[in-house]
Amino acid sequence: MSRSTRAAGRRAAPRGNRSRHRAYRTRSVSKAIGLTLVSALIPGSGFVMGGRTKLGAFVMTLSFGLLALAAYIGLTNRNAVLELAVDPRRLLIATAAVVVLGLLWIWVVVASHKLLRPVSLTALGRLAGSAFVGLICFGIAVPTTVAAQTVMAQRDLVGSVFASEGNSKSATRPDVEDKKDPWADQPRLNILLLGADDGAGREGTRTDTVMVASIDTKSGDTKLISLSRNWMRMPFPEDSPLHKLYPDGFYDPDLGNVEQPEYYLDAMYRNLPAAHPGVLGPSDNEGADVLKVSAGAALGLDIDYYMQVNLKGFESIVDALGGITVNINYRVPIGGDYRGAGSADDVLPKDYLEPGRNQKLNGHDALWFARGRYGLSDISRQERQRCTIHALVSSANPGTLVTKYQQIASASKKLLQTDIPQEILPAFIELGLKVKNAKVSNIDLDKNKNFPSGRNPNYEAMREIVQKAIAPKKTVASTPASPVTPRKPSTGKSTAPPKAPAGGTEDLSDACAYHPANP
């Protein structure tokens, strides 16, 4: 190539660059800012407008492709989303992906603005453009950071509460072969719900709240069964090692037919494993395994899993949810300790929750609504505990979960203990969604007849009640509709809904309604 040809080429190059800038760069800062905003909303469009057509087309295709893929998976393959949400390894990958996508988005915005802004800029114009780009980048960085923190909070929650089968020990957990559909051939799933009080002033842990949730795995309809804390002679299955130790139930025959507080149901969690460590086999929570076996024998159910809640930590989860709304039908004590009939050592309540419709309670008050018992019956306390669970399920709406998920996850990590393995969590979430929209009712075990005192409950009669309540309903032929009786005009007074017959079931929506009455 001759010297003249090379010189001509050097002279021609600058003219080509100037022509390109004139063709694609904007003539004003305001227009550059507007196009930069468009490039942030439609990633890649700024490259196309700036002349980088191939790069812009690639970025736009990639962006819309990722959005379409996410929408397709979310709408058509919910199981994949659920599996992602409960797999710590995938959640770590998802966190990295969120951060990388956020950084790439910021790069696209900055690069687009550099490509679109005028060649000649005043100091004020450069400052205005930089400030606007910085504002957009901040708007991208904040939700990206929140999303990454939320995913990591979920990973921390799953790893802290739900151990994998290989990293946990349970003497009573069922073996599940089909992890994707663990109860395909199981009509009901039975979960033991424990409220453990290991707060200040207590020696060891006592389970003041013991309930069983029996869930229809097809419909999500749930039956709640409350067990009284002062039951004695809790039975054990004949094939259990515990039956050999306590053939007539958990009590001390040498003491006679008297109240034995150290053999109450609420003392089993602490006392039985302490007296016979490892009696059921390797376990991460011997107390819970003992209660699963015994509660199942008392009610005639096979208890699959347990969920244990620390009652003090319960405050945190309620506060994280923004409180719960309940109907209070009578004064509920805050604090207080009843030391026995005629005792002068009673500790009086500090305050009371007053009756009222749709009362919004914070964590502290919700805890006392569930557990306050000074001057009240154990039956009323059990009913309030069921209403508290009902209110918690109702308050867990999508908006609250999204906006306060990090607080909820942090509270739950300190609150929950369970033997539900990570491997079946997606199926549990699916079932939980059914439960939220299904009917929740209480099974009345007929206290007056079957356990007027806790010394010798009639477990056989209670088993019959439970089996009748959970038995599949038989379909009956339809009959002609009866004439409609005109409804009497409302008096405006609130009346109590009819109580379920002894040994029957009662919808919690009715049981927890506002009907002021004596407990």
Side-chain angles (χ1 to χ4, degrees), residues 482-501:
S482 302
V484 178
T485 303
R487 182 177 296 175
K488 294 181 180 181
S490 173
T491 61
K493 296 181 179 180
S494 176
T495 58
K499 289 288 184 181

Side-chain angles (χ1 to χ4, degrees), residues 345-365:
D345 297 328
D346 284 5
V347 178
L348 297 178
K350 298 177 181 178
D351 201 353
Y352 284 86
L353 300 175
E354 299 296 337
R357 187 193 303 271
N358 294 331
Q359 300 265 40
K360 189 67 174 288
L361 303 182
N362 59 22
H364 173 269
D365 290 347

Side-chain angles (χ1 to χ4, degrees), residues 86 88 156-169 173 284 305 417-425:
V86 295
D156 191 27
L157 171 64
V158 172
S160 300
V161 177
F162 302 95
S164 64
E165 286 183 325
N167 295 326
S168 61
K169 299 175 183 178
R173 183 170 59 198
D284 293 331
Y305 304 98
Q417 188 175 357
T418 183
D419 60 351
I420 298 172
Q422 286 182 8
E423 289 81 358
I424 62 171
L425 280 180

Side-chain angles (χ1 to χ4, degrees), residues 8-27:
R10 288 195 297 270
R11 288 193 297 270
R15 287 197 297 269
N17 287 338
R18 287 196 299 269
S19 175
R20 179 181 175 186
H21 290 315
R22 284 197 300 269
Y24 298 111
R25 289 183 180 271
T26 59
R27 295 181 180 275

